[in-house]
């Protein structure tokens, strides 16, 4: 029998329907793989009992012909999604032991569709980071290694546990969240597909908030089709989130094979700065050629405010984070360190509960929102954000989709860039503009560099046009024939 863990979601769905194996067998295969790959540290908590129970229930529904869209499919859930009765930490000490009495809308939808939760996936603390090195529960290792080398690499972040687990075939898919690139960059580093939908497609209800005007959930999978299948289940209007869009959900899977013939693909010159990594640039050129070969036309476009996106993001996101994280005060959630006065209790709890990067963001955020600096930083950043969104609006009058690299480099070493926050922030240079504009973006694994490490290409489209994004992604995937780990397909 083939290794069940290397199947795609689409293949497993069809084979489960034909009763070629059971959901319980599929789940057991994944639980065994997780056990063997503990050193990756991809999961903060595993939930084998819940998984077996849900797999059995899935088998019953498959038997009675009442299967949901993800019936029996084992998935990992990023530990930023509240899961009823199961510890949810955001990878922070301050939330250690917190068991939410409710389920996030997105994880509930996945559950209602019959999927099986394998556990809660590791991430950067409060999703702040690009390496998964800031987790209180330890770093995550990428399952990839450079050719001929044994040193460990980062899986990217913040959805590093999600990317590592899907890439290593511990889960068939995983949820991620993306505030400035946290789905797309780790997907690129681990050679998988990551989709950040339009802001407002997925409900944020029950997801631990980082920067509310940017946070979006999305799927991380090994193929474009699997991402389309998962996203369809994850999104849809939710009255519990005021920014959730009251739009019907397209059948993303149905458009995958429509191709790109006649589409106009924009190539933004600002994403090719002097000194861009030569292999990243070459892969981008290759991607352009693949789309042309498939019948698209490519046009040079300009997104003039691109250079301001990173500084803008690193004002807006910390500002919102400083406000969102005010709720961790030792009174309502998680950890508390007693003090002689209420203020001292707050201070001690927050000093002990938050890690260095989270504290840095709270300090930056509080600073840019303070009375004396609000206009100079926060208000200015809001204005620049509007200009970045306008750049995209204008570009999409000339093109249907935009192609760029996902990240400026391949994965780096597990202990690199730790002492230099700015070097870490530079990872997000190609992903944050789309986050600030609220437009959808996906990363598709497109090739390997000379060290044998994955590189991704990013596809951006206008708001609510995930269908075009998926069509372009499918063409890139078909052309790239990317060598997934374990030969999974
Ligand atoms: N790396 C970015 C940051 O640290 C993005 C994180 C995210 O998208 N959650 O803020």
């Amino acid at each position: 029998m083939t290794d069940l863990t290397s199947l795609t979601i689409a293949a497993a769905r069809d084979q489960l329907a034909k009763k070629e194996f059971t959901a319980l067998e599929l789940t057991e295969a994944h639980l065994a793989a997780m056990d063997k790959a503990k050193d990756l540290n991809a999961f903060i908590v595993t939930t084998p009992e819940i998984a077996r129970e849900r797999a059995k229930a899935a088998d019953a529904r498959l038997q009675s012909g009442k299967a949901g869209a993800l019936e029996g499919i084992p998935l990992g859930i990023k530990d930023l999604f509240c899961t009823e009765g199961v510890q949810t930490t955001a990878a922070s000490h301050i939330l250690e032991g917190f068991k939410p009495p409710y389920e996030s809308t997105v994880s509930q939808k996945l559950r209602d569709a019959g999927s099986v939760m394998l556990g809660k996936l590791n991430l950067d603390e409060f999703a702040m980071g690009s390496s998964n090195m800031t987790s209180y529960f330890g770093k995550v290792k990428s399952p990839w290694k450079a050719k001929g080398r044994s040193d460990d690499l980062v899986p990217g972040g913040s959805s590093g546990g999600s990317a590592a687990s899907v890439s290593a075939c511990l889960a068939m898919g995983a949820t991620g969240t993306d505030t400035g690139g946290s789905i797309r960059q780790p997907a690129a580093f681990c050679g998988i597909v990551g989709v950040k939908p339009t802001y407002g497609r997925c409900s944020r209800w029950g997801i631990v908030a980082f920067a509310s005007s940017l946070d979006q959930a999305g799927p991380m999978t090994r193929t474009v089709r699997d991402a389309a299948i998962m996203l369809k289940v994850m999104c849809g209007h939710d009255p519990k989130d005021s920014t959730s869009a009251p739009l019907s959900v397209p059948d993303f899977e149905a458009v995958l094979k429509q191709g790109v013939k006649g589409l106009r693909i924009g190539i933004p010159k600002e994403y090719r700065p002097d000194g861009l990594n030569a292999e990243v640039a070459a892969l981008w050129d290759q991607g352009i050629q693949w789309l042309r070969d498939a019948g698209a036309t490519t046009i040079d476009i300009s997104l003039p405010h691109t250079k301001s996106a990173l500084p803008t993001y690193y004002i807006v996101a910390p500002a919102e984070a400083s406000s969102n994280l005010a709720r961790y005060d030792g009174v309502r959630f998680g950890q508390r360190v007693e003090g002689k006065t209420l203020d001292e209790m707050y201070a001690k709890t927050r000093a002990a509960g938050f890690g260095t990067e989270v504290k840095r963001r709270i300090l930056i955020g509080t600073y840019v929102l303070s009375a004396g600096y609000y206009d100079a930083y926060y208000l200015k950043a809001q204005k620049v954000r509007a200009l970045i969104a306008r750049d995209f609006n204008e570009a999409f009058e000339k093109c249907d989709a935009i192609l760029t690299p996902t990240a400026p480099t391949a994965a780096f070493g597990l202990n690199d860039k730790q002492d230099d926050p700015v070097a870490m922030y530079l990872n997000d240079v190609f992903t944050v503009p789309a986050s600030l504009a609220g437009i959808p973006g996906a990363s598709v694994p497109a090739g390997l560099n000379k060290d044998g490490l994955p590189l991704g290409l990013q596809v951006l489209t206008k708001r609510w046009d995930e269908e075009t994004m998926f069509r372009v992604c499918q063409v890139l995937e078909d052309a790239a024939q990317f060598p997934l780990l374990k030969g999974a397909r």
Side-chain angles (χ1 to χ4, degrees):
M1 189 149 114
T2 49
D3 178 6
L4 293 182
T5 63
S6 63
L7 294 173
T8 60
I9 292 176
R13 173 186 65 183
D14 298 347
Q15 294 180 29
L16 279 167
K18 288 195 221 137
K19 317 249 174 348
E20 291 179 15
F21 47 80
T22 65
L24 189 59
E25 283 165 345
L26 188 61
T27 291
E28 291 294 357
H30 284 87
L31 293 173
M34 285 157 63
D35 240 18
K36 275 201 221 132
K38 279 201 176 119
D39 68 311
L40 295 182
N41 199 30
F43 287 86
I44 293 176
V45 160
T46 58
T47 53
E49 295 82 17
I50 292 178
R52 290 191 179 104
E53 190 187 300
R54 290 191 193 162
K56 284 180 201 157
D59 277 327
R61 286 189 294 268
L62 282 157
Q63 280 301 331
S64 60
K66 293 199 192 98
L70 287 169
E71 201 66 68
I73 302 296
L75 301 177
I77 304 293
K78 184 178 183 180
D79 200 22
L80 202 62
F81 292 77
C82 285
T83 41
E84 190 181 356
V86 177
Q87 178 181 266
T88 300
T89 65
S92 182
H93 183 40
I94 210 157
L95 277 174
E96 198 173 5
F98 171 56
K99 289 190 177 167
Y102 44 79
E103 185 84 25
S104 80
T105 297
V106 165
S107 53
Q108 183 69 51
K109 281 174 177 287
L110 289 167
R111 196 170 153 179
D112 292 345
S115 73
V116 169
M117 177 171 75
L118 296 166
K120 302 297 293 290
L121 291 159
N122 210 339
L123 65 149
D124 278 297
E125 187 179 1
F126 281 104
M128 298 172 187
S130 308
S131 64
N132 217 124
M133 288 194 279
T134 71
S135 168
Y136 174 74
F137 300 93
K139 299 168 187 175
V140 174
K141 287 184 199 169
S142 170
W144 289 82
K145 299 247 193 250
K147 242 188 267 160
R149 299 187 62 135
S150 59
D151 33 331
D152 291 318
L153 300 172
V154 299
S158 68
S159 309
S162 305
S165 66
V166 172
S167 167
C169 297
L170 314 182
M172 303 197 101
T175 60
T177 63
D178 192 308
T179 302
S182 278
I183 288 177
R184 291 162 284 161
Q185 183 258 19
F189 277 19
C190 287
I192 62 166
V193 176
V195 173
K196 178 200 94 77
T198 311
Y199 180 81
R201 257 294 179 217
C202 285
S203 168
R204 289 181 296 109
W205 194 82
I207 301 175
V208 176
F210 165 9
S212 307
S213 76
L214 296 156
D215 299 343
Q216 259 304 288
M220 300 177 73
T221 55
R222 291 190 291 267
T223 67
V224 173
R225 179 172 299 270
D226 287 0
I229 295 171
M230 246 183 104
L231 181 62
K232 180 161 188 249
V233 172
M234 291 168 72
C235 58
H237 181 236
D238 178 10
K240 288 189 284 194
D241 170 4
S242 62
T243 61
S244 155
L247 293 174
S248 58
V249 180
D251 185 351
F252 305 118
E253 199 183 355
V255 304
L256 290 177
K257 289 293 179 187
Q258 286 181 6
V260 294
K261 213 174 172 110
L263 288 187
R264 299 159 305 167
I265 311 293
I267 310 299
K269 64 169 192 271
E270 290 79 6
Y271 283 61
R272 203 182 287 268
D274 290 342
L276 176 64
N277 177 300
E279 291 179 285
V280 170
L283 184 73
W284 188 14
D285 291 337
Q286 175 68 76
I288 293 170
Q289 195 53 50
W290 284 332
L291 296 179
R292 284 187 190 145
D293 292 346
T297 51
T298 54
I299 56 163
D300 292 329
I301 58 164
S302 173
L303 299 164
H305 296 90
T306 299
K307 64 175 182 315
S308 306
L310 207 54
T312 302
Y313 172 84
Y314 277 99
I315 290 172
V316 172
E320 295 186 22
S322 72
S323 164
N324 272 326
L325 271 56
R327 74 190 63 170
Y328 306 104
D329 56 5
V331 178
R332 288 164 293 185
F333 304 92
Q335 302 291 311
R336 170 191 298 204
V337 181
E338 297 298 347
K340 283 192 229 56
T341 61
L342 183 64
D343 282 353
E344 196 181 297
M345 186 279 284
Y346 288 159
K348 285 189 162 170
T349 298
R350 289 167 67 82
F354 291 133
T356 311
E357 181 60 26
V358 174
K359 285 177 187 158
R360 180 168 19 246
R361 307 270 180 129
I362 293 173
L363 287 173
I364 295 171
T366 309
Y367 181 82
V368 300
L369 289 175
S370 61
Y373 295 101
Y374 188 92
D375 290 0
Y377 293 108
Y378 185 67
L379 204 60
K380 184 80 157 280
Q382 294 287 44
K383 289 179 182 166
V384 179
R385 181 176 186 178
L387 295 175
I388 291 167
R390 197 178 70 187
D391 281 356
F392 280 110
N393 286 343
E394 287 174 1
F396 287 125
E397 283 170 15
K398 301 189 202 92
C399 64
D400 306 296
I402 294 173
L403 184 74
T404 78
T406 307
T409 63
F412 45 89
L414 198 56
N415 293 308
D416 293 355
K417 305 193 196 217
Q418 245 176 334
D419 306 323
D420 184 356
V422 176
M424 192 64 83
Y425 299 167
L426 283 171
N427 266 286
D428 308 328
V429 63
F430 297 146
T431 49
V432 291
S435 301
L436 290 164
I439 61 173
S443 180
V444 182
L448 300 175
N449 70 4
K450 63 176 178 333
D451 295 325
L453 296 176
L455 295 172
L457 288 174
Q458 176 177 239
V459 179
L460 307 172
T461 51
K462 59 177 181 287
R463 279 169 172 263
W464 316 118
D465 194 10
E466 284 85 355
E467 287 160 282
T468 301
M469 180 185 76
F470 274 116
R471 286 167 60 191
V472 178
C473 288
Q474 184 65 61
V475 167
L476 293 171
E477 179 179 87
D478 290 344
Q481 290 299 312
F482 181 83
L484 293 165
L485 286 181
K486 290 189 166 191
R489 239 324 144 224

